[in-house]
Amino acid sequence: EDQVTQSPEALRLQEGESSSLNCSYTVSGLRGLFWYRQDPGKGPEFLFTLYSAGEEKEKERLKATLTKKESFLHITAPKPEDSATYLCAVQAPYNAGNNRKLIWGLGTSLAVNP
Amino acid sequence: DTGVSQNPRHKITKRGQNVTFRCDPISEHNRLYWYRQTLGQGPEFLTYFQNEAQLEKSRLLSDRFSAERPKGSFSTLEIQRTEQGDSAMYLCASSNSASGAISSYNEQFFGPGTRLTVL
């Protein structure tokens, strides 16, 4: 069964303390892996798409990487405004019942203390 | 603002009442999705449109839920005879299909959501 697991469930960092969030997946023939940020009471905000192992993308203090089994979201020198839930989702190959539907993890809740 | 918009942002209703939510996608996007999200969970897929055609509906979705996208632009999600278990954040997202191979075709952009509380 296609599945996405994120770890840790929650992470508390001090401002400036770099760390990584993990998204592991069991999907054959990955079509894309997506990272989103979600603030409380708001819709997810798109961050990155990764398509193939070895690919990396960066945006400000965030860097996403992809292997054949997992993705990491590296946060360098985080600030309090980086506090949010970070969601990972994958797109599996098309077959009956999952066309264009994303498989979501439960997210990592990140808190950055000043 | 050219992002996805949803109305209302909050809805409180009594059990048994019907509610309707509206989603306006990004104007050039031909795909529109509805999700439901409860606290501590990822978004749960409800249904998906390409233009005006509803191409997929979750097996978890009961007959009390119906969605339309009559002109391939905005969409409505109606819940009939609401139950307390329907309380959740209802999210709408849109994306743009693209010809060719790998592209940004399935990057979904979300609206702010509608928070439903059923008393």
Side-chain angles (χ1 to χ4, degrees):
Chain A
E1 180 184 351
D2 297 333
Q3 202 166 16
V4 175
T5 303
Q6 291 189 246
S7 62
E9 289 184 12
L11 180 63
R12 186 174 295 275
L13 299 173
Q14 288 299 122
E15 184 172 2
E17 179 186 1
S18 301
S19 187
S20 296
L21 312 182
N22 178 266
C23 171
S24 62
Y25 59 92
T26 53
V27 171
S28 299
L30 181 75
R31 297 274 291 178
L33 184 144
F34 305 88
W35 281 100
Y36 287 84
R37 168 193 171 128
Q38 187 172 29
D39 292 300
K42 296 186 178 181
E45 174 190 348
F46 172 77
L47 293 175
F48 303 111
T49 309
L50 300 166
Y51 289 106
S52 57
E55 189 175 0
E56 299 182 351
K57 289 194 177 172
E58 289 188 67
K59 180 181 179 180
E60 297 180 350
R61 295 177 292 281
L62 300 177
K63 179 180 178 180
T65 62
L66 181 65
T67 72
K68 290 186 178 180
K69 294 184 177 180
E70 58 191 349
S71 176
F72 291 95
L73 184 65
H74 307 278
I75 303 177
T76 302
K79 297 182 178 180
E81 52 261 43
D82 294 323
S83 298
T85 295
Y86 290 85
L87 294 164
C88 170
V90 300
Q91 171 75 56
Y94 300 151
N95 59 51
N98 80 344
N99 279 354
R100 301 164 177 85
K101 183 175 62 183
L102 298 180
I103 304 163
W104 293 84
L106 298 182
T108 293
S109 176
L110 174 66
V112 181
N113 296 327
Chain B
D1 187 352
T2 57
V4 178
S5 62
Q6 292 187 246
N7 289 288
R9 294 293 310 277
H10 304 274
K11 179 71 176 179
I12 299 174
T13 190
K14 292 182 178 179
R15 188 175 53 188
Q17 297 295 306
N18 299 342
V19 294
T20 300
F21 309 141
R22 176 178 170 128
C23 171
D24 288 88
I26 294 171
S27 58
E28 62 267 27
H29 284 184
N30 60 344
R31 292 180 177 167
L32 187 147
Y33 311 78
W34 284 100
Y35 291 88
R36 176 171 61 190
Q37 188 178 28
T38 54
L39 196 63
Q41 301 293 314
E44 175 190 15
F45 172 80
L46 295 179
T47 191
Y48 149 69
F49 291 85
Q50 179 151 322
N51 300 312
E52 66 275 10
Q54 187 174 18
L55 297 186
E56 189 178 351
K57 187 175 177 180
S58 169
R59 292 189 297 272
L60 302 175
L61 211 58
S62 77
D63 291 341
R64 297 185 296 106
F65 288 72
S66 62
E68 294 183 344
R69 195 183 183 197
K71 297 182 180 179
S73 57
F74 75 91
S75 175
T76 58
L77 177 69
E78 181 183 15
I79 308 174
Q80 296 181 328
R81 305 180 303 281
T82 53
E83 301 172 357
Q84 288 184 325
D86 296 331
S87 296
M89 174 77 88
Y90 288 83
L91 295 166
C92 175
S94 68
S95 70
N96 193 22
S97 63
S99 60
I102 293 174
S103 71
S104 61
Y105 77 100
N106 206 35
E107 289 170 353
Q108 298 181 19
F109 295 87
F110 284 81
T114 294
R115 168 75 64 188
L116 173 66
T117 301
V118 181
L119 302 177

